[in-house]
Amino acid sequence: MPDMNRSKGFYLPKLETMSPDARQEYLDKKTQEIVAHAYEKAPFFRELMKKQGALPQDIKTVADLSGLPVTEKAELVRLQRENLPFGGFCADKMEGLRRVYVSPGPIYEPCEAVLEDTRWSQAFFAAGFRKGDLAQVTFNFNMVPFAFMLDEALNQMGCKSVPTGVGNTEIQVQVLKDLQVEAYVGTPSFLSALAERAEQMGLDLQEDLNLKVAFVAAEMLPESLRESLQTRLGMMIRQSYGTADVGCLSYECPLTGGMHFAQDCVVEVVDPETGQPVAEGEMGEVVATVFNKTYPLIRFGTGDLSAYTTETCECGRTAPKLTRIMGRVDQVTKIKGMFVHPGSVTQMSARFEQISACQLVVTRENNQDVMTLVCELADESGATEEFAAEVMDAMKEFLRLKGRVEVTAKGTLAEGCEVISDKRVWD
Ligand SMILES: [Zn+2]
């Protein structure tokens, strides 16, 4: 086994280490190109620019983008309903696509026939993944794009994948052991669940398993959890941030201390009210522009709050870093790595005449998200086990997540209370 140094080197050396001025010039040029392309091919952007009285030639630099409004992820559902299937965002005809993904909402997402780089390979490399590694991909392969994007990115960089998807912890542990899997891809909480299961099965986490690196995303990674998992499993765990719509936007390097902006996309941090870029260190919404010719999202508002720093990083990467993801601009909440829209909760509860008021409460137990639908019933005698089972089924159907049901006395929930109450505490 050659000694692979997992903490050194770059996946795209030229782009990752270029001077800030050279990067600016590079991104300005790519921005011009994608704006012209989207104006020509994607009806939504043509209309949006016309409304602003802007022409493609007005956008010559990244800075010029601030003249265009931010399109919020939360608006995608409505925009698509008005103009199915893609709301005028897709620059290709249906016959030119390879897949259509369905994200919660539902939001339909086109996947181009010839795969574009969604920038996750850079993130994998920075997390210590190397060519030849076998990676277990434990994100959901059902309908949503994220796991597919990651799987393709692993493939592009010469890693092999075991696409296990979510759940089935016992089999997943067996696979880790039998195949001596080197790399984990998934949420931090699922890695934690696998470690626990492995111990229950009598395995030694370091002797019996061969995990070296983990790429985690879609959830907060508390430092306490990272440290304990790294020590127990004897591996390096790095996190990444992006969305299923735009792909990778930032990722940790071996030195951590924030997530470097990904190469080959524009990441802005803006005032959620005005859409104008905020100063270094100030909190704002993460807004992305990607150069995907099929799905050219321009000034796409992720709804996530963060801040950035241009402090030099010793790893040699010259891109700024997002300091951390601080929460959500709107009420859309990420639970177990999935976005849950308040609208979906309302829709779901509307199916039950008995429910007079409800609130989805999100908490943390043993490093896992726990989702509880607290409901008030018009008639409290309706609080049967059968009712609870039906509501739990509806949660799986509408929210694609398992949850608990708690019936509470009338008047417990304040009138007009938030549909989703996020009570998770992060260190
Ligand atoms: Zn770095």
Side-chain angles (χ1 to χ4, degrees):
M1 194 73 180
D3 180 35
M4 290 184 291
N5 193 333
R6 295 180 182 274
S7 307
K8 294 248 155 35
F10 310 98
Y11 184 66
L12 302 167
K14 189 167 165 257
L15 287 177
E16 288 175 41
T17 62
M18 73 193 340
S19 73
D21 285 348
R23 178 173 295 115
Q24 204 55 55
E25 203 178 304
Y26 175 83
L27 290 177
D28 285 348
K29 187 169 156 278
K30 298 278 278 195
T31 299
Q32 275 179 32
E33 281 169 16
I34 200 67
V35 167
H37 174 80
Y39 188 87
E40 189 193 341
K41 302 274 189 180
F44 175 83
F45 287 108
R46 190 160 52 244
E47 285 311 307
L48 179 134
M49 287 183 67
K50 278 186 178 162
K51 269 188 218 149
Q52 294 293 303
L55 289 167
Q57 53 267 35
D58 296 331
I59 312 294
K60 292 192 179 67
T61 63
V62 169
D64 291 339
L65 283 175
S66 64
L68 299 177
V70 172
T71 303
E72 293 294 335
K73 182 182 176 83
E75 289 173 48
L76 270 186
V77 178
R78 178 181 60 80
L79 291 167
Q80 290 197 344
R81 293 319 307 172
E82 287 170 3
N83 182 13
L84 283 167
F86 302 120
F89 287 88
C90 181
D92 275 350
K93 298 222 163 28
M94 192 60 108
E95 50 268 37
L97 302 180
R98 168 181 163 115
R99 298 193 187 106
V100 177
Y101 300 114
V102 184
S103 285
I107 296 169
Y108 298 110
E109 280 150 333
C111 174
E112 62 281 353
V114 178
L115 286 171
E116 301 229 6
D117 181 11
T118 47
R119 302 173 303 284
W120 297 107
S121 305
Q122 307 164 34
F124 282 128
F125 192 95
F129 286 51
R130 293 294 179 268
K131 193 176 172 183
D133 280 341
L134 187 57
Q136 195 151 321
V137 183
T138 68
F139 283 113
N140 180 15
F141 279 90
N142 182 10
M143 297 208 248
V144 293
F146 192 43
F148 288 93
M149 286 170 128
L150 298 176
D151 199 77
E152 304 281 7
L154 287 164
N155 213 271
Q156 282 167 359
M157 67 184 293
C159 292
K160 290 156 287 194
S161 70
V162 196
T164 51
V166 289
N168 307 308
T169 48
E170 188 162 342
I171 293 177
Q172 298 240 18
V173 169
Q174 193 180 342
V175 174
L176 287 176
K177 176 175 178 285
D178 288 349
L179 302 182
Q180 290 291 289
V181 170
E182 287 104 354
Y184 167 87
V185 177
T187 60
S189 55
F190 192 62
L191 181 59
S192 169
L194 289 179
E196 243 152 73
R197 177 55 67 97
E199 280 174 336
Q200 283 165 10
M201 288 161 68
L203 299 181
D204 182 303
L205 297 183
Q206 296 194 25
E207 289 296 311
D208 295 314
L209 305 182
N210 188 35
L211 284 168
K212 301 277 189 277
V213 285
F215 165 105
V216 299
E219 264 184 13
M220 296 280 188
L221 173 63
E223 282 307 323
S224 52
L225 178 62
R226 172 172 13 215
E227 277 164 34
S228 100
L229 286 173
Q230 288 192 144
T231 311
R232 286 164 69 202
L233 289 151
M235 70 192 304
M236 175 162 87
I237 300 172
R238 292 295 175 268
Q239 58 186 330
S240 182
Y241 165 72
T243 83
D245 324 80
V246 290
C248 180
L249 297 179
S250 64
Y251 51 86
E252 283 182 333
C253 65
L255 302 180
T256 67
M259 294 182 278
H260 286 287
F261 289 7
Q263 301 305 316
D264 236 352
C265 65
V266 174
V267 178
E268 296 177 89
V269 181
V270 311
D271 179 324
E273 299 277 299
T274 64
Q276 294 308 301
V278 298
E280 180 167 355
E282 271 179 37
M283 191 174 83
E285 181 180 8
V286 180
V287 166
T289 296
V290 294
F291 309 133
N292 181 321
K293 289 274 168 63
T294 295
Y295 199 31
L297 294 168
I298 291 167
R299 295 211 98 206
F300 180 77
T302 60
D304 289 315
L305 292 167
S306 189
Y308 73 95
T309 171
T310 55
E311 240 170 69
T312 311
C313 184
E314 293 297 321
C315 77
R317 289 174 184 80
T318 50
K321 284 175 174 177
L322 288 180
T323 48
R324 58 181 291 216
I325 303 300
M326 297 159 179
R328 299 284 303 158
V329 173
D330 45 38
Q331 232 205 334
V332 177
T333 307
K334 205 178 243 179
I335 306 171
K336 299 182 190 179
M338 296 284 276
F339 281 113
V340 175
H341 295 247
S344 307
V345 178
T346 313
Q347 247 182 20
M348 173 189 74
S349 64
R351 184 186 268 197
F352 299 91
E353 278 177 14
Q354 323 74 310
I355 299 180
S356 55
C358 73
Q359 183 177 51
L360 190 74
V361 179
V362 193
T363 49
R364 287 285 275 184
E365 281 177 27
N366 302 322
N367 289 312
Q368 311 283 333
D369 289 342
V370 175
M371 189 173 87
T372 308
L373 189 77
V374 179
C375 4
E376 287 185 26
L377 300 186
D379 174 8
E380 281 178 30
S381 68
T384 59
E385 271 181 32
E386 200 186 340
F387 165 76
E390 273 174 28
V391 175
M392 282 192 276
D393 282 346
M395 284 165 99
K396 266 191 248 168
E397 183 187 335
F398 282 85
L399 313 179
R400 304 231 202 112
L401 290 169
K402 275 189 209 163
R404 300 174 187 166
V405 178
E406 187 186 309
V407 175
T408 181
K410 254 191 199 170
T412 313
L413 294 172
E415 202 159 321
C417 67
E418 286 179 316
V419 177
I420 299 175
S421 168
D422 192 345
K423 296 197 165 137
R424 292 172 292 189
V425 179
W426 309 97
D427 61 15

